[in-house]
Amino acid sequence: MPKVLVIGGAGYIGSHVVKALLQSQYSVRVYDDLSSGHEINLFANAEFIKGDILDYPSLNEAMKGIDAVVFLAAKKAVGESMINPEKYAVNNIVGSVNVLNAMAENEVKAIVFSSSAAVYGIPQYVPMDEKHPLNPLNFYGFTKVETERLMQWYDALKGIKYTSLRYFNAAGYDADGDVKGKDKEPQNLLPILMEVVTGKRDFLQIFGNDYDTRDGTCLRDYIHVTDLATAHVLSIKRLLEGKESLIVNLGTGTGTSVKEIVIAAEKVFEKNIPVKYAERRSGDPAVLLASNETARKELGWEPKYTNIEDIIRTFAKIY
Ligand code: UD1
């Protein structure tokens, strides 16, 4: 079977991707600096190299004998990217240049990249398809746009085919409990809510209840991480069949509001979740919703988790 290098394979999404690749009989090598990934997320039947994408010689060595790359390693805190863009420029843009150069040097011709709905900025229409204009509101989103552009050039000039997966709101954990590392400093709604459920926090802050939505709180497209992982496997398979480069939104196409998340979690965990309303968070669009037609048509992908309660239930595996 082909050998896949998963860069960032000890992280939250990466470890789920590694599990899915192994289940599909791919041979897997993980490259991760463990800065935000966890050693306990590593699978015994995948090779592991501890290394940083900014360390070109080490990355280049890890690329030997590889057929395809899944590239997830990146800094991902949206707020921090606005305060410390230097860190994001180096890790997310210079890091991407290194990955593509190591691929070119080793004649590796297929890459699946972790992009984000953050490339779009405020939606001009929903659901958003891949043709929606790119207008990132934060530096993090800008770094994702830049890597997509780099990949277009390396495709044209070096024949490296890519699939850029624009994730909407990733959520949940492996239903078998095989991924064990919790988010170290959670910034996102669901991990924060889980800290309220487990008593680590006293209440959840809801940022804004005067949005133009059905209950005044923001709507997001929450997609289970195992469904995301499946899309990576399908993308690798497709690229190794010799298909053209592709950009794909990954979401379920269904919106859930912050209030609806709280109600669903109260039902799943059978407890009251205290909330406090706070000011709107800057840069938050009212609604983010994916059109997943490309994923269905080009990858043959379909989300297995379509019910938010089922997604929330999988958090209980590790919290
Ligand atoms: C953001 C990014 C996304 C990135 C993700 C992970 C954008 C448009 N989206 O998603 O690309 O991949 O972070 O870092 O930049 N909320 C609360 N209380 C909280 C936390 C969140 O009410 O304590 C609300 C937010 O206002 C939002 C929703 O919950 O409406 C989801 O927030 P969050 O989980 O942070 O994800 P996004 O901001 O949608």
mmCIF file of all heavy atoms in Angstrom, residues 76-78 116-119 121 138 140 167-169 187-192 201 204-208 211 217-220 222 258 281 283-285 288, ligand 1:
data_model
loop_
_atom_site.group_PDB
_atom_site.id
_atom_site.type_symbol
_atom_site.label_atom_id
_atom_site.label_comp_id
_atom_site.label_asym_id
_atom_site.label_seq_id
_atom_site.Cartn_x
_atom_site.Cartn_y
_atom_site.Cartn_z
ATOM 1 N N LYS A 76 -3.201 27.672 14.962
ATOM 2 C CA LYS A 76 -4.621 27.813 14.595
ATOM 3 C C LYS A 76 -5.466 28.707 15.499
ATOM 4 O O LYS A 76 -6.691 28.701 15.388
ATOM 5 C CB LYS A 76 -5.256 26.429 14.503
ATOM 6 C CG LYS A 76 -5.261 25.699 15.823
ATOM 7 C CD LYS A 76 -6.195 24.514 15.839
ATOM 8 C CE LYS A 76 -6.154 23.873 17.189
ATOM 9 N NZ LYS A 76 -7.361 23.430 17.748
ATOM 10 N N ALA A 77 -4.813 29.484 16.370
ATOM 11 C CA ALA A 77 -5.612 30.362 17.221
ATOM 12 C C ALA A 77 -5.859 31.688 16.495
ATOM 13 O O ALA A 77 -4.944 32.491 16.296
ATOM 14 C CB ALA A 77 -4.912 30.596 18.553
ATOM 15 N N VAL A 78 -7.098 31.876 16.091
ATOM 16 C CA VAL A 78 -7.460 33.029 15.268
ATOM 17 C C VAL A 78 -7.086 34.351 15.963
ATOM 18 O O VAL A 78 -6.464 35.229 15.354
ATOM 19 C CB VAL A 78 -8.969 32.980 14.937
ATOM 20 C CG1 VAL A 78 -9.434 34.258 14.280
ATOM 21 C CG2 VAL A 78 -9.279 31.774 14.047
ATOM 22 N N SER A 116 -9.374 26.115 5.692
ATOM 23 C CA SER A 116 -10.386 26.513 6.664
ATOM 24 C C SER A 116 -11.440 27.405 6.019
ATOM 25 O O SER A 116 -11.146 28.140 5.064
ATOM 26 C CB SER A 116 -9.686 27.307 7.768
ATOM 27 O OG SER A 116 -10.623 27.969 8.580
ATOM 28 N N ALA A 117 -12.617 27.382 6.597
ATOM 29 C CA ALA A 117 -13.665 28.315 6.182
ATOM 30 C C ALA A 117 -13.242 29.757 6.450
ATOM 31 O O ALA A 117 -13.840 30.689 5.899
ATOM 32 C CB ALA A 117 -14.957 28.013 6.937
ATOM 33 N N ALA A 118 -12.197 29.932 7.279
ATOM 34 C CA ALA A 118 -11.697 31.277 7.563
ATOM 35 C C ALA A 118 -11.166 31.973 6.303
ATOM 36 O O ALA A 118 -10.979 33.192 6.318
ATOM 37 C CB ALA A 118 -10.604 31.225 8.629
ATOM 38 N N VAL A 119 -10.944 31.238 5.224
ATOM 39 C CA VAL A 119 -10.485 31.888 3.977
ATOM 40 C C VAL A 119 -11.573 32.788 3.386
ATOM 41 O O VAL A 119 -11.275 33.725 2.648
ATOM 42 C CB VAL A 119 -10.034 30.866 2.886
ATOM 43 C CG1 VAL A 119 -8.852 30.040 3.371
ATOM 44 C CG2 VAL A 119 -11.180 29.979 2.422
ATOM 45 N N GLY A 121 -14.027 34.739 5.059
ATOM 46 C CA GLY A 121 -14.448 35.951 5.770
ATOM 47 C C GLY A 121 -15.958 35.988 5.934
ATOM 48 O O GLY A 121 -16.612 34.937 5.983
ATOM 49 N N ASN A 138 -9.032 37.456 9.305
ATOM 50 C CA ASN A 138 -7.956 37.365 10.291
ATOM 51 C C ASN A 138 -6.704 36.819 9.620
ATOM 52 O O ASN A 138 -6.763 36.243 8.530
ATOM 53 C CB ASN A 138 -8.393 36.488 11.481
ATOM 54 C CG ASN A 138 -9.031 35.188 11.014
ATOM 55 O OD1 ASN A 138 -8.384 34.374 10.371
ATOM 56 N ND2 ASN A 138 -10.318 35.018 11.323
ATOM 57 N N TYR A 140 -4.770 34.391 10.460
ATOM 58 C CA TYR A 140 -4.814 32.924 10.339
ATOM 59 C C TYR A 140 -5.428 32.530 8.990
ATOM 60 O O TYR A 140 -4.862 31.729 8.242
ATOM 61 C CB TYR A 140 -5.618 32.347 11.509
ATOM 62 C CG TYR A 140 -6.095 30.936 11.295
ATOM 63 C CD1 TYR A 140 -5.227 29.859 11.453
ATOM 64 C CD2 TYR A 140 -7.417 30.658 10.924
ATOM 65 C CE1 TYR A 140 -5.667 28.561 11.240
ATOM 66 C CE2 TYR A 140 -7.859 29.369 10.723
ATOM 67 C CZ TYR A 140 -6.979 28.325 10.876
ATOM 68 O OH TYR A 140 -7.414 27.051 10.665
ATOM 69 N N TYR A 167 -12.136 23.221 6.091
ATOM 70 C CA TYR A 167 -12.977 22.740 7.177
ATOM 71 C C TYR A 167 -13.874 23.844 7.694
ATOM 72 O O TYR A 167 -13.429 24.974 7.896
ATOM 73 C CB TYR A 167 -12.161 22.292 8.399
ATOM 74 C CG TYR A 167 -10.981 21.401 8.187
ATOM 75 C CD1 TYR A 167 -9.880 21.518 9.044
ATOM 76 C CD2 TYR A 167 -10.938 20.426 7.199
ATOM 77 C CE1 TYR A 167 -8.767 20.687 8.918
ATOM 78 C CE2 TYR A 167 -9.826 19.603 7.064
ATOM 79 C CZ TYR A 167 -8.744 19.738 7.921
ATOM 80 O OH TYR A 167 -7.643 18.925 7.804
ATOM 81 N N PHE A 168 -15.101 23.504 8.014
ATOM 82 C CA PHE A 168 -15.959 24.395 8.780
ATOM 83 C C PHE A 168 -15.676 24.093 10.260
ATOM 84 O O PHE A 168 -14.509 23.984 10.622
ATOM 85 C CB PHE A 168 -17.416 24.308 8.287
ATOM 86 C CG PHE A 168 -17.578 25.137 7.026
ATOM 87 C CD1 PHE A 168 -16.885 24.793 5.855
ATOM 88 C CD2 PHE A 168 -18.329 26.291 7.013
ATOM 89 C CE1 PHE A 168 -16.946 25.593 4.713
ATOM 90 C CE2 PHE A 168 -18.413 27.098 5.867
ATOM 91 C CZ PHE A 168 -17.726 26.746 4.729
ATOM 92 N N ASN A 169 -16.652 23.966 11.150
ATOM 93 C CA ASN A 169 -16.301 23.849 12.572
ATOM 94 C C ASN A 169 -16.126 22.389 13.005
ATOM 95 O O ASN A 169 -17.106 21.683 13.237
ATOM 96 C CB ASN A 169 -17.366 24.535 13.422
ATOM 97 C CG ASN A 169 -17.301 26.042 13.285
ATOM 98 O OD1 ASN A 169 -17.462 26.583 12.197
ATOM 99 N ND2 ASN A 169 -17.038 26.731 14.381
ATOM 100 N N GLN A 187 -10.070 27.107 22.753
ATOM 101 C CA GLN A 187 -10.533 28.431 22.333
ATOM 102 C C GLN A 187 -11.914 28.314 21.710
ATOM 103 O O GLN A 187 -12.580 29.297 21.494
ATOM 104 C CB GLN A 187 -9.603 28.981 21.233
ATOM 105 C CG GLN A 187 -8.141 28.827 21.499
ATOM 106 C CD GLN A 187 -7.524 30.112 21.941
ATOM 107 O OE1 GLN A 187 -8.125 31.156 21.794
ATOM 108 N NE2 GLN A 187 -6.339 30.063 22.496
ATOM 109 N N ASN A 188 -12.310 27.087 21.356
ATOM 110 C CA ASN A 188 -13.539 26.887 20.597
ATOM 111 C C ASN A 188 -14.702 26.520 21.498
ATOM 112 O O ASN A 188 -14.528 26.038 22.600
ATOM 113 C CB ASN A 188 -13.330 25.809 19.531
ATOM 114 C CG ASN A 188 -12.295 26.231 18.514
ATOM 115 O OD1 ASN A 188 -11.160 25.765 18.562
ATOM 116 N ND2 ASN A 188 -12.655 27.144 17.654
ATOM 117 N N LEU A 189 -15.872 26.755 20.963
ATOM 118 C CA LEU A 189 -17.096 26.605 21.745
ATOM 119 C C LEU A 189 -17.224 25.239 22.437
ATOM 120 O O LEU A 189 -17.423 25.180 23.658
ATOM 121 C CB LEU A 189 -18.315 26.845 20.835
ATOM 122 C CG LEU A 189 -19.677 26.607 21.485
ATOM 123 C CD1 LEU A 189 -19.908 27.571 22.639
ATOM 124 C CD2 LEU A 189 -20.797 26.740 20.457
ATOM 125 N N LEU A 190 -17.113 24.164 21.681
ATOM 126 C CA LEU A 190 -17.433 22.866 22.287
ATOM 127 C C LEU A 190 -16.442 22.414 23.363
ATOM 128 O O LEU A 190 -16.882 21.973 24.431
ATOM 129 C CB LEU A 190 -17.678 21.808 21.209
ATOM 130 C CG LEU A 190 -19.109 21.943 20.670
ATOM 131 C CD1 LEU A 190 -19.256 21.365 19.291
ATOM 132 C CD2 LEU A 190 -20.122 21.312 21.617
ATOM 133 N N PRO A 191 -15.133 22.534 23.148
ATOM 134 C CA PRO A 191 -14.219 22.184 24.245
ATOM 135 C C PRO A 191 -14.433 23.057 25.487
ATOM 136 O O PRO A 191 -14.346 22.561 26.621
ATOM 137 C CB PRO A 191 -12.827 22.401 23.655
ATOM 138 C CG PRO A 191 -13.008 22.420 22.193
ATOM 139 C CD PRO A 191 -14.415 22.824 21.902
ATOM 140 N N ILE A 192 -14.763 24.327 25.285
ATOM 141 C CA ILE A 192 -15.036 25.209 26.437
ATOM 142 C C ILE A 192 -16.295 24.733 27.152
ATOM 143 O O ILE A 192 -16.324 24.607 28.380
ATOM 144 C CB ILE A 192 -15.150 26.686 25.976
ATOM 145 C CG1 ILE A 192 -13.782 27.197 25.531
ATOM 146 C CG2 ILE A 192 -15.726 27.571 27.097
ATOM 147 C CD1 ILE A 192 -13.790 28.601 24.932
ATOM 148 N N ARG A 201 -15.002 24.847 34.579
ATOM 149 C CA ARG A 201 -15.434 26.250 34.470
ATOM 150 C C ARG A 201 -16.826 26.360 35.064
ATOM 151 O O ARG A 201 -17.593 25.396 35.006
ATOM 152 C CB ARG A 201 -15.564 26.670 33.008
ATOM 153 C CG ARG A 201 -14.292 26.939 32.316
ATOM 154 C CD ARG A 201 -14.604 27.252 30.862
ATOM 155 N NE ARG A 201 -13.400 27.086 30.076
ATOM 156 C CZ ARG A 201 -12.779 28.073 29.443
ATOM 157 N NH1 ARG A 201 -13.284 29.285 29.455
ATOM 158 N NH2 ARG A 201 -11.671 27.852 28.771
ATOM 159 N N LEU A 204 -20.675 29.069 30.757
ATOM 160 C CA LEU A 204 -20.277 29.322 29.368
ATOM 161 C C LEU A 204 -20.679 30.749 29.032
ATOM 162 O O LEU A 204 -21.792 31.179 29.334
ATOM 163 C CB LEU A 204 -21.010 28.356 28.433
ATOM 164 C CG LEU A 204 -20.777 28.601 26.938
ATOM 165 C CD1 LEU A 204 -19.410 28.084 26.516
ATOM 166 C CD2 LEU A 204 -21.865 27.936 26.106
ATOM 167 N N GLN A 205 -19.764 31.447 28.390
ATOM 168 C CA GLN A 205 -20.117 32.787 27.892
ATOM 169 C C GLN A 205 -20.657 32.634 26.472
ATOM 170 O O GLN A 205 -20.014 31.983 25.643
ATOM 171 C CB GLN A 205 -18.863 33.642 27.815
ATOM 172 C CG GLN A 205 -18.536 34.388 29.086
ATOM 173 C CD GLN A 205 -17.435 35.388 28.800
ATOM 174 O OE1 GLN A 205 -16.381 35.040 28.291
ATOM 175 N NE2 GLN A 205 -17.695 36.645 29.111
ATOM 176 N N ILE A 206 -21.792 33.221 26.218
ATOM 177 C CA ILE A 206 -22.309 33.226 24.844
ATOM 178 C C ILE A 206 -22.045 34.608 24.255
ATOM 179 O O ILE A 206 -22.520 35.622 24.786
ATOM 180 C CB ILE A 206 -23.815 32.885 24.811
ATOM 181 C CG1 ILE A 206 -24.015 31.436 25.289
ATOM 182 C CG2 ILE A 206 -24.382 33.084 23.396
ATOM 183 C CD1 ILE A 206 -25.452 30.926 25.187
ATOM 184 N N PHE A 207 -21.251 34.619 23.184
ATOM 185 C CA PHE A 207 -20.845 35.896 22.596
ATOM 186 C C PHE A 207 -21.922 36.435 21.659
ATOM 187 O O PHE A 207 -21.957 36.094 20.483
ATOM 188 C CB PHE A 207 -19.523 35.732 21.834
ATOM 189 C CG PHE A 207 -18.380 35.261 22.686
ATOM 190 C CD1 PHE A 207 -17.504 34.275 22.223
ATOM 191 C CD2 PHE A 207 -18.160 35.786 23.950
ATOM 192 C CE1 PHE A 207 -16.433 33.846 23.000
ATOM 193 C CE2 PHE A 207 -17.096 35.363 24.742
ATOM 194 C CZ PHE A 207 -16.233 34.389 24.266
ATOM 195 N N GLY A 208 -22.801 37.255 22.196
ATOM 196 C CA GLY A 208 -23.810 37.927 21.365
ATOM 197 C C GLY A 208 -25.107 37.150 21.279
ATOM 198 O O GLY A 208 -25.106 35.952 20.986
ATOM 199 N N TYR A 211 -27.878 38.620 17.133
ATOM 200 C CA TYR A 211 -27.607 38.390 15.710
ATOM 201 C C TYR A 211 -28.911 38.140 14.972
ATOM 202 O O TYR A 211 -29.907 37.723 15.581
ATOM 203 C CB TYR A 211 -26.689 37.177 15.529
ATOM 204 C CG TYR A 211 -25.233 37.449 15.854
ATOM 205 C CD1 TYR A 211 -24.713 37.092 17.092
ATOM 206 C CD2 TYR A 211 -24.394 38.050 14.928
ATOM 207 C CE1 TYR A 211 -23.377 37.325 17.408
ATOM 208 C CE2 TYR A 211 -23.063 38.284 15.225
ATOM 209 C CZ TYR A 211 -22.554 37.926 16.459
ATOM 210 O OH TYR A 211 -21.244 38.164 16.747
ATOM 211 N N THR A 217 -28.390 33.930 18.390
ATOM 212 C CA THR A 217 -26.982 33.520 18.561
ATOM 213 C C THR A 217 -26.444 32.985 17.232
ATOM 214 O O THR A 217 -27.210 32.627 16.338
ATOM 215 C CB THR A 217 -26.818 32.471 19.692
ATOM 216 O OG1 THR A 217 -27.500 31.255 19.335
ATOM 217 C CG2 THR A 217 -27.380 32.994 21.002
ATOM 218 N N CYS A 218 -25.102 32.937 17.136
ATOM 219 C CA CYS A 218 -24.462 32.601 15.854
ATOM 220 C C CYS A 218 -24.709 31.161 15.420
ATOM 221 O O CYS A 218 -24.685 30.239 16.241
ATOM 222 C CB CYS A 218 -22.953 32.771 15.974
ATOM 223 S SG CYS A 218 -22.415 34.462 16.087
ATOM 224 N N LEU A 219 -24.885 30.996 14.135
ATOM 225 C CA LEU A 219 -25.052 29.664 13.537
ATOM 226 C C LEU A 219 -23.733 29.204 12.920
ATOM 227 O O LEU A 219 -23.099 29.967 12.192
ATOM 228 C CB LEU A 219 -26.089 29.759 12.417
ATOM 229 C CG LEU A 219 -27.406 29.034 12.582
ATOM 230 C CD1 LEU A 219 -28.150 29.592 13.777
ATOM 231 C CD2 LEU A 219 -28.250 29.197 11.324
ATOM 232 N N ARG A 220 -23.374 27.944 13.229
ATOM 233 C CA ARG A 220 -22.167 27.355 12.645
ATOM 234 C C ARG A 220 -22.470 25.979 12.103
ATOM 235 O O ARG A 220 -23.425 25.326 12.526
ATOM 236 C CB ARG A 220 -21.057 27.235 13.710
ATOM 237 C CG ARG A 220 -20.523 28.559 14.216
ATOM 238 C CD ARG A 220 -19.665 29.242 13.152
ATOM 239 N NE ARG A 220 -19.126 30.515 13.588
ATOM 240 C CZ ARG A 220 -19.773 31.677 13.478
ATOM 241 N NH1 ARG A 220 -20.978 31.732 12.959
ATOM 242 N NH2 ARG A 220 -19.204 32.807 13.876
ATOM 243 N N TYR A 222 -21.210 22.515 12.285
ATOM 244 C CA TYR A 222 -20.328 21.633 13.063
ATOM 245 C C TYR A 222 -20.201 20.294 12.364
ATOM 246 O O TYR A 222 -21.193 19.644 12.061
ATOM 247 C CB TYR A 222 -20.877 21.453 14.490
ATOM 248 C CG TYR A 222 -20.865 22.766 15.248
ATOM 249 C CD1 TYR A 222 -21.983 23.605 15.241
ATOM 250 C CD2 TYR A 222 -19.720 23.203 15.907
ATOM 251 C CE1 TYR A 222 -21.957 24.841 15.889
ATOM 252 C CE2 TYR A 222 -19.688 24.436 16.563
ATOM 253 C CZ TYR A 222 -20.814 25.246 16.542
ATOM 254 O OH TYR A 222 -20.778 26.465 17.175
ATOM 255 N N VAL A 258 -25.529 28.690 18.853
ATOM 256 C CA VAL A 258 -24.853 28.481 20.143
ATOM 257 C C VAL A 258 -25.872 28.002 21.186
ATOM 258 O O VAL A 258 -25.613 27.052 21.934
ATOM 259 C CB VAL A 258 -24.137 29.763 20.622
ATOM 260 C CG1 VAL A 258 -23.439 29.530 21.954
ATOM 261 C CG2 VAL A 258 -23.125 30.248 19.583
ATOM 262 N N ARG A 281 -18.278 38.742 19.838
ATOM 263 C CA ARG A 281 -16.829 38.625 19.678
ATOM 264 C C ARG A 281 -16.479 39.214 18.313
ATOM 265 O O ARG A 281 -17.151 38.931 17.321
ATOM 266 C CB ARG A 281 -16.456 37.137 19.720
ATOM 267 C CG ARG A 281 -14.987 36.840 19.839
ATOM 268 C CD ARG A 281 -14.743 35.353 20.038
ATOM 269 N NE ARG A 281 -15.159 34.557 18.892
ATOM 270 C CZ ARG A 281 -14.946 33.251 18.777
ATOM 271 N NH1 ARG A 281 -14.345 32.594 19.765
ATOM 272 N NH2 ARG A 281 -15.342 32.593 17.715
ATOM 273 N N GLY A 283 -15.264 39.959 14.716
ATOM 274 C CA GLY A 283 -14.935 39.093 13.582
ATOM 275 C C GLY A 283 -15.835 37.881 13.427
ATOM 276 O O GLY A 283 -15.642 37.076 12.518
ATOM 277 N N ASP A 284 -16.813 37.704 14.305
ATOM 278 C CA ASP A 284 -17.716 36.549 14.207
ATOM 279 C C ASP A 284 -18.862 36.826 13.230
ATOM 280 O O ASP A 284 -19.704 37.680 13.493
ATOM 281 C CB ASP A 284 -18.362 36.261 15.579
ATOM 282 C CG ASP A 284 -17.624 35.206 16.371
ATOM 283 O OD1 ASP A 284 -16.757 34.520 15.793
ATOM 284 O OD2 ASP A 284 -17.927 35.054 17.562
ATOM 285 N N PRO A 285 -18.919 36.106 12.112
ATOM 286 C CA PRO A 285 -20.097 36.254 11.261
ATOM 287 C C PRO A 285 -21.315 35.595 11.911
ATOM 288 O O PRO A 285 -21.169 34.646 12.687
ATOM 289 C CB PRO A 285 -19.716 35.537 9.965
ATOM 290 C CG PRO A 285 -18.543 34.701 10.273
ATOM 291 C CD PRO A 285 -17.941 35.170 11.555
ATOM 292 N N LEU A 288 -22.297 30.760 9.395
ATOM 293 C CA LEU A 288 -21.301 30.112 8.534
ATOM 294 C C LEU A 288 -21.856 28.758 8.158
ATOM 295 O O LEU A 288 -22.126 27.933 9.047
ATOM 296 C CB LEU A 288 -19.988 29.900 9.293
ATOM 297 C CG LEU A 288 -18.903 30.948 9.237
ATOM 298 C CD1 LEU A 288 -17.666 30.458 9.984
ATOM 299 C CD2 LEU A 288 -18.519 31.288 7.800
HETATM 300 C C1 UD1 B 1 -12.915 29.758 14.116
HETATM 301 C C2 UD1 B 1 -12.471 29.977 12.714
HETATM 302 C C3 UD1 B 1 -12.151 28.677 12.030
HETATM 303 C C4 UD1 B 1 -11.128 27.959 12.806
HETATM 304 C C5 UD1 B 1 -11.687 27.718 14.174
HETATM 305 C C6 UD1 B 1 -10.661 26.996 15.009
HETATM 306 C C7 UD1 B 1 -13.328 31.878 11.507
HETATM 307 C C8 UD1 B 1 -14.490 32.432 10.745
HETATM 308 N N1 UD1 B 1 -13.493 30.642 11.972
HETATM 309 O O1 UD1 B 1 -14.252 29.215 14.059
HETATM 310 O O2 UD1 B 1 -11.662 28.895 10.738
HETATM 311 O O3 UD1 B 1 -10.849 26.750 12.161
HETATM 312 O O4 UD1 B 1 -12.008 28.962 14.796
HETATM 313 O O5 UD1 B 1 -9.792 27.819 15.652
HETATM 314 O O6 UD1 B 1 -12.329 32.514 11.715
HETATM 315 N N2 UD1 B 1 -18.693 31.000 21.160
HETATM 316 C C9 UD1 B 1 -19.313 31.405 22.319
HETATM 317 N N3 UD1 B 1 -18.660 31.245 23.492
HETATM 318 C C10 UD1 B 1 -17.399 30.720 23.592
HETATM 319 C C11 UD1 B 1 -16.769 30.301 22.390
HETATM 320 C C12 UD1 B 1 -17.445 30.455 21.198
HETATM 321 O O7 UD1 B 1 -20.447 31.900 22.299
HETATM 322 O O8 UD1 B 1 -16.859 30.630 24.698
HETATM 323 C C13 UD1 B 1 -19.413 31.101 19.883
HETATM 324 C C14 UD1 B 1 -18.707 31.979 18.845
HETATM 325 O O9 UD1 B 1 -19.115 33.295 18.960
HETATM 326 C C15 UD1 B 1 -19.185 31.320 17.557
HETATM 327 C C16 UD1 B 1 -19.391 29.844 17.902
HETATM 328 O O10 UD1 B 1 -19.494 29.818 19.333
HETATM 329 O O11 UD1 B 1 -20.417 31.856 17.169
HETATM 330 C C17 UD1 B 1 -18.260 28.957 17.466
HETATM 331 O O12 UD1 B 1 -17.036 29.541 17.871
HETATM 332 P P1 UD1 B 1 -15.627 28.815 17.728
HETATM 333 O O13 UD1 B 1 -15.740 27.420 18.230
HETATM 334 O O14 UD1 B 1 -14.584 29.689 18.325
HETATM 335 O O15 UD1 B 1 -15.392 28.663 16.148
HETATM 336 P P2 UD1 B 1 -15.415 29.766 14.994
HETATM 337 O O16 UD1 B 1 -15.059 31.099 15.494
HETATM 338 O O17 UD1 B 1 -16.695 29.596 14.271
#
